[in-house]
Amino acid sequence: MEDVARLAGVSTATVSRTLRGLPNVSDETRDRVLHAAASLSYVVSPIASRLASGRTHTVGVIVPYAARWFFGQIVAGAESVLREHDLDLLLYNLGDAAARQRFFGQLPLRRRVDAVLVVAMQFSDPEIADLRSLGVPIVAVGHDVPGAGCVRIDDVAAASSAVQHLLGLGHRRIGMISTYADQAMFLPVAHERRRAYLDTLTAAGVPFCEELVMSVPHGLDGGEQAMRRLLALPDPPTAVFAESDELAFGALSALRRTGRHVSVIGFDDHELSALLDLTTVRQRVFEQGVLAAGMLRRAMTVSDWTPEELLMPTTLVLRASTWPVAVRTARTG
């Protein structure tokens, strides 16, 4: 900066004001400074600027599984907003219990971020206290965190609408494929959607049958494995609710390979769901990331920000993977 000031014949303060786009610099002086900076290939150091302002211009993002479609969509939506405001994104992937313990033991976010975005994770009271100790705004997506802003859907109501759809088609022997037992990371979705499944069957007078609920690892392989186990039962289900579309994709694969016919409904409306003609519950995942980032921006710029909660709608999307139980019986026969 001193070299630019010397070449342009101005003070370093004037160079700083010019390069930051601040007012009270004449056009003639601004042109001289910009020409001098260009001739010296000088650019403002973002690290130095951040040190001077006391702000990091960085948002920390905490996810349990960065490689999964849902989390990737949330992060992509948030990043599209943060990028417009020249904010960096610092991603922490807590993919197992060891990573989680290390993260909260070291709390690497401290003094490195101006805000935190948490995606579909549930925390213990000590972990929440650690996050609050950062002294920055926190917004959660997919599940509420005490003291934080929140963008989410009503998982219980949405999952209930999926089971009600199957009941409305005449199905009574309805299975569920979930990740309920695969919960090392305390993901709340599996618990809430399983509860909705049980409560909706109970309200309809349908007895709960434990053998119809399969808990498997997330993903296509888990979904296929679960459906094969359901088909092997002496009295297999006529319909299945899958906790996510990715589990449903695996279930559809098992049905295709075995030539069997079972109604399947998923959850999310993954970008491949239309291609596979999967009936599902749509949630606008990318948009949740966009809205959460916007909420963080407000929290970072408003001194008296109060945590907000935004409940997003879901929609039942009817496609060809579900049908009335009488039609299924005819197909099987």
Side-chain angles (χ1 to χ4, degrees):
M1 188 177 291
E2 291 177 351
D3 292 339
V4 173
R6 189 178 303 111
L7 183 60
V10 298
S11 67
T12 55
T14 299
V15 172
S16 177
R17 292 184 65 82
T18 301
L19 297 181
R20 286 187 292 158
L22 298 178
N24 300 326
V25 178
S26 70
D27 292 341
E28 187 272 334
T29 300
R30 188 181 305 278
D31 290 343
R32 287 209 322 271
V33 170
L34 293 177
H35 183 270
S39 67
L40 294 172
S41 300
Y42 174 80
V43 293
V44 178
S45 166
I47 296 176
S49 297
R50 292 170 184 182
L51 287 172
S53 67
R55 303 290 295 273
T56 67
H57 300 280
T58 302
V59 172
V61 180
I62 304 173
V63 299
Y65 301 108
R68 293 186 185 177
W69 175 83
F70 174 86
F71 301 103
Q73 287 290 297
I74 294 290
V75 172
E79 195 274 337
S80 69
V81 174
L82 300 178
R83 182 177 63 245
E84 289 181 358
H85 296 280
D86 295 322
L87 294 170
D88 294 332
L89 185 152
L90 190 58
L91 182 66
Y92 291 91
N93 183 33
L94 308 189
D96 54 45
R100 185 177 187 133
Q101 184 177 8
R102 183 169 59 251
F103 175 85
F104 282 102
Q106 301 174 354
L107 211 61
L109 289 172
R110 194 178 301 280
R111 292 188 294 276
R112 298 182 67 184
V113 299
D114 295 328
V116 175
L117 178 65
V118 178
V119 185
M121 290 188 66
Q122 185 171 326
F123 299 107
S124 66
D125 289 343
E127 289 172 341
I128 292 173
D130 285 341
L131 290 176
R132 287 178 174 172
S133 73
L134 296 171
V136 299
I138 302 172
V139 169
V141 178
H143 187 68
D144 60 315
V145 173
C150 183
V151 178
R152 66 180 183 87
I153 63 170
D154 186 334
D155 272 292
V156 173
S160 179
S161 72
V163 180
Q164 288 170 358
H165 169 65
L166 298 176
L167 290 167
L169 293 173
H171 297 281
R172 291 297 178 269
R173 193 155 175 81
I174 300 172
M176 180 178 183
I177 302 176
S178 84
T179 59
Y180 181 77
D182 184 26
Q183 289 296 296
M185 296 303 296
F186 310 109
L187 302 184
V189 166
H191 299 269
E192 293 178 353
R193 295 180 189 174
R194 176 187 168 99
R195 175 161 63 90
Y197 163 81
L198 296 174
D199 290 349
T200 306
L201 291 182
T202 300
V206 177
F208 169 61
C209 184
E210 189 171 355
E211 69 178 2
L212 292 181
V213 179
M214 296 292 168
S215 187
V216 292
H218 175 84
L220 276 68
D221 289 344
E224 181 167 0
Q225 176 192 67
M227 181 57 84
R228 287 184 178 276
R229 285 158 52 189
L230 288 169
L231 294 174
L233 294 173
D235 186 11
T238 62
V240 169
F241 166 47
E243 177 189 291
S244 70
D245 283 354
E246 287 148 298
L247 289 171
F249 296 159
L252 292 175
S253 175
L255 292 171
R256 185 176 64 254
R257 293 171 188 272
T258 58
R260 305 283 288 275
H261 299 284
V262 175
S263 286
V264 176
I265 186 168
F267 199 114
D268 286 333
D269 201 24
H270 187 288
E271 56 198 19
L272 295 179
S273 296
L275 179 65
L276 297 177
D277 233 352
L278 175 68
T279 295
T280 188
V281 177
R282 173 183 295 156
Q283 60 169 323
R284 302 201 298 269
V285 183
F286 185 90
E287 187 177 345
Q288 290 179 59
V290 169
L291 293 172
M295 190 179 290
L296 273 178
R297 277 283 302 153
R298 292 193 295 276
M300 295 165 65
T301 55
V302 177
S303 59
D304 58 348
W305 180 75
T306 301
E308 315 162 46
E309 181 177 51
L310 181 58
L311 194 64
M312 298 286 290
T314 57
T315 308
L316 182 64
V317 181
L318 300 180
R319 298 192 179 106
S321 67
T322 55
W323 50 79
V325 65
V327 175
R328 181 266 181 188
T329 303
R331 290 185 183 189
T332 305

